[in-house]
Amino acid sequence: MVYVIACGDEGVQMNEGTRLAFVGAGFRLEGFSEVVPILKKIFGDDLRIVASEECDWIRQQLALSNWEQTNASAQQHVEALADQEKLLYAGYFPFSDPKQLKHEVKGHMVRPHKVHIANKICFTVGGGEQKYNLGHFVISADWVAKAPEKLVKQVLQTQVNFYSKLVGDQPLPCVVEETGELGEKKAEANKKTLQKLGFLP
């Protein structure tokens, strides 16, 4: 199984590889560097990472004025992040037909340009995204039972807040996807952590 760290933007569609979603593919996400070793323990050392077109998080973090700058910066910064965290940089998902990238990763952007249509946040707890849904921003919580609660709260809350602001500054309903390679027991432990920290009812 090929696991790929990618943005949780609802437009990111992975045709080959399983998405572990972190806003901006983890770029400048506080706590991400502490999460990577946990992900490697769970999913193996050969984790991939991919950049994607029209990344609002990267645009905001770098205070960029247009998408051309953002798209160029996303590739550059995510590749640098891959080097820093010893991840395999696969390339860049554009708005186009599915694109075959390096390291057995294939995908593209499928939402409308410059528009967000997601109306929920989906936490994956069983081993990354299993079923693509254009209505979901995705956040990987496949690691949370193995991490300190303070780190979990920080990393997840930042993402929840960002996606909520992106679509109108109102809390988005949160759902959970429990299937995946990790199996029922581990998925349940991750889900319980989310419930304990108030991310799920």
Side-chain angles (χ1 to χ4, degrees):
M1 184 71 76
V2 170
Y3 289 98
V4 189
I5 293 167
C7 188
D9 185 304
E10 81 275 40
V12 174
Q13 185 176 40
M14 201 88 67
N15 303 87
E16 289 174 21
T18 299
R19 174 162 60 153
L20 300 172
F22 292 85
V23 72
F27 170 70
R28 286 197 188 169
L29 174 60
E30 207 172 328
F32 180 70
S33 287
E34 293 163 67
V35 175
V36 171
I38 303 169
L39 293 174
K40 286 182 177 179
K41 273 185 190 158
I42 298 168
F43 298 108
D45 286 331
D46 59 347
L47 288 176
R48 281 74 162 156
I49 189 169
V50 69
S52 49
E53 196 171 340
E54 272 188 27
C55 181
D56 294 85
W57 172 266
I58 289 178
R59 183 171 177 172
Q60 185 178 303
Q61 291 298 310
L62 298 173
L64 298 169
S65 58
N66 62 52
W67 287 120
E68 288 71 28
Q69 288 177 324
T70 305
N71 295 336
S73 295
Q75 296 175 70
Q76 189 185 339
H77 286 291
V78 173
E79 188 165 13
L81 180 63
D83 287 343
Q84 181 189 313
E85 302 296 343
K86 297 185 171 46
L87 301 163
L88 298 170
Y89 179 67
Y92 174 73
F93 285 161
F95 282 89
S96 70
D97 290 335
K99 191 173 179 187
Q100 186 69 55
L101 305 179
K102 292 186 290 186
H103 306 300
E104 303 166 88
V105 177
K106 184 179 184 180
H108 58 150
M109 294 294 292
V110 298
R111 65 166 163 78
H113 270 291
K114 301 174 189 169
V115 178
H116 287 284
I117 51 180
N119 56 11
K120 287 190 178 83
I121 289 170
C122 179
F123 291 105
T124 62
V125 295
E129 180 187 46
Q130 304 299 313
K131 191 176 178 189
Y132 176 73
N133 188 326
L134 190 55
H136 291 169
F137 293 116
V138 185
I139 298 175
S140 169
D142 309 280
W143 51 277
V144 297
K146 302 277 187 193
E149 285 183 5
K150 190 179 172 191
L151 176 65
V152 173
K153 185 85 177 163
Q154 176 191 44
V155 171
L156 298 189
Q157 196 65 58
T158 301
Q159 298 181 80
V160 168
N161 293 351
F162 177 75
Y163 291 130
S164 297
K165 275 200 173 129
L166 201 54
V167 292
D169 218 1
Q170 58 197 20
L172 288 166
C174 292
V175 295
V176 68
E177 184 180 42
E178 298 180 56
T179 53
E181 293 283 309
L182 295 184
E184 208 173 302
K185 202 172 165 188
K186 288 177 181 171
E188 188 59 33
N190 288 323
K191 186 180 174 183
K192 279 189 173 146
T193 303
L194 292 177
Q195 288 169 328
K196 185 180 178 187
L197 295 175
F199 290 105
L200 289 174

